[in-house]
Amino acid sequence: MRKKIVAGNWKMNKNLQEGIALATELSVMLAADKPACDVIIGTPFIHLAKISEVIDHKNIRLSAQNCADKASGAYTGEVSAEMVKSTGAEYVILGHSERREYYKETYDILKEKVQLALANGLKVIFCIGESLDEREKGIQNQVVKAELEGSVFNLSADAFKNIVIAYEPIWAIGTGKTATAEQAEEIHAYIRSVIAEKYGRQIAEETSILYGGSCKPSNAAELFSKPDIDGGLIGGASLKAADFKGIIDAWKR
Ligand code: 13P
């Protein structure tokens, strides 16, 4: 069956020393109390190589939060998928709404990034989700379908197996406003049906679909109890080891 996952997205938080301390604390916690799901931490680029040395990769997998849409060369300031992979990272988060909005990442740019990530042996946590305005207009299903069609449905079935989907309603990110478990389940089931139409029932059943947006220890268990919610992509609550562990432990309840 599909993987249960709790993934942290640290965003632009923690300097190198703070990041190493947080990853070490989490690694010690999970060594003492093994997780019942896959645990991933998405750190800033500069943390990856160092954190890769301090964590136990059996309990924690490492992710970048972005990679370049070009393979290599004269692109000052960019970090390639190959570089990410060389740090020991296994995943990259792509398509986050913050990158779509603030850095104008289009469907086509994201399509390039996804292909380069997969070509370099990374798995992709691909984020989709509607704005408040789109939710109020009732077009959330069209929005998430267009995001999938625009950037990942060009992949072969074999390549698609390396994609984890994260549904993150933009109105719930960092706002304290969580989608209800019912609202999240409804759209997760829809996302799975769209994947089934494209790749068939079996691949859809094997695809992990995470929920993201103000997920915390107090609401994680209810969200994760839904049949189509396979875990969470956690922002704020991944910045404290105890809170993140509280969400990881929701898979044990
Ligand atoms: P919060 O958990 O802080 O709402 O962030 C969610 C998110 O954007 C994870 O990628």
Side-chain angles (χ1 to χ4, degrees):
M1 272 313 279
R2 55 187 175 258
K3 277 189 184 141
K4 308 300 181 197
I5 297 172
V6 173
N9 175 8
W10 291 5
K11 307 190 181 182
M12 197 172 73
N13 293 294
K14 306 285 178 192
N15 67 28
L16 180 60
Q17 289 72 31
E18 292 164 348
I20 292 167
L22 174 57
T24 305
E25 189 184 359
L26 187 66
S27 194
V28 169
M29 278 179 165
L30 296 180
D33 183 16
K34 296 262 182 299
C37 61
D38 281 10
V39 174
I40 303 170
I41 53 175
T43 80
F45 287 132
I46 64 129
H47 298 58
L48 291 170
K50 194 72 193 173
I51 288 182
S52 183
E53 289 171 10
V54 302
I55 56 172
D56 180 344
H57 287 255
K58 284 198 293 298
N59 292 334
I60 304 179
R61 286 136 225 272
L62 203 50
S63 177
Q65 301 170 16
N66 184 25
C67 69
D69 62 342
K70 304 286 192 298
S72 68
Y75 300 102
T76 303
E78 289 295 293
V79 175
S80 71
E82 184 189 0
M83 293 172 192
V84 169
K85 177 73 179 176
S86 73
T87 64
E90 290 176 55
Y91 285 86
V92 58
I93 298 167
L94 292 174
H96 196 283
S97 56
E98 289 154 14
R99 299 229 39 107
R100 292 180 194 261
E101 183 181 350
Y102 307 142
Y103 302 97
K104 307 293 172 235
E105 294 194 356
T106 62
Y107 294 173
D108 282 341
I109 291 172
L110 290 169
K111 191 196 278 185
E112 294 300 318
K113 292 188 176 199
V114 168
Q115 274 171 348
L116 283 163
L118 297 180
N120 284 284
L122 292 167
K123 297 190 184 83
V124 173
I125 301 173
F126 189 74
C127 306
I128 57 178
E130 81 286 357
S131 64
L132 182 58
D133 182 50
E134 290 161 340
R135 166 75 49 174
E136 282 171 349
K137 287 189 181 126
I139 57 168
Q140 63 272 15
N141 286 6
Q142 286 101 299
V143 170
V144 295
K145 187 176 187 195
E147 288 175 329
L148 292 169
E149 288 176 343
S151 307
V152 293
F153 276 4
N154 58 303
L155 297 172
S156 70
D158 248 9
F160 189 81
K161 289 178 187 164
N162 295 302
I163 306 284
V164 171
I165 302 294
Y167 167 67
E168 300 204 311
I170 297 167
W171 47 272
I173 296 176
T175 58
K177 205 170 171 221
T178 322
T180 64
E182 289 70 30
Q183 273 175 327
E185 169 58 21
E186 189 182 7
I187 192 156
H188 278 230
Y190 171 74
I191 292 164
R192 200 177 304 288
S193 77
V194 171
I195 296 170
E197 267 169 38
K198 171 73 190 168
Y199 292 109
R201 196 73 230 166
Q202 191 185 339
I203 287 182
E205 285 301 324
E206 286 167 3
T207 302
S208 299
I209 306 177
L210 314 183
Y211 168 79
S214 300
C215 185
K216 39 191 184 267
S218 59
N219 60 23
E222 194 192 349
L223 286 158
F224 299 173
S225 72
K226 297 292 178 192
D228 288 293
I229 301 181
D230 304 309
L233 180 56
I234 320 300
S238 72
L239 296 173
K240 285 204 183 105
D243 289 350
F244 194 51
K245 174 74 163 46
I247 297 173
I248 293 165
D249 288 347
W251 280 118
K252 295 187 173 176
R253 281 191 245 156

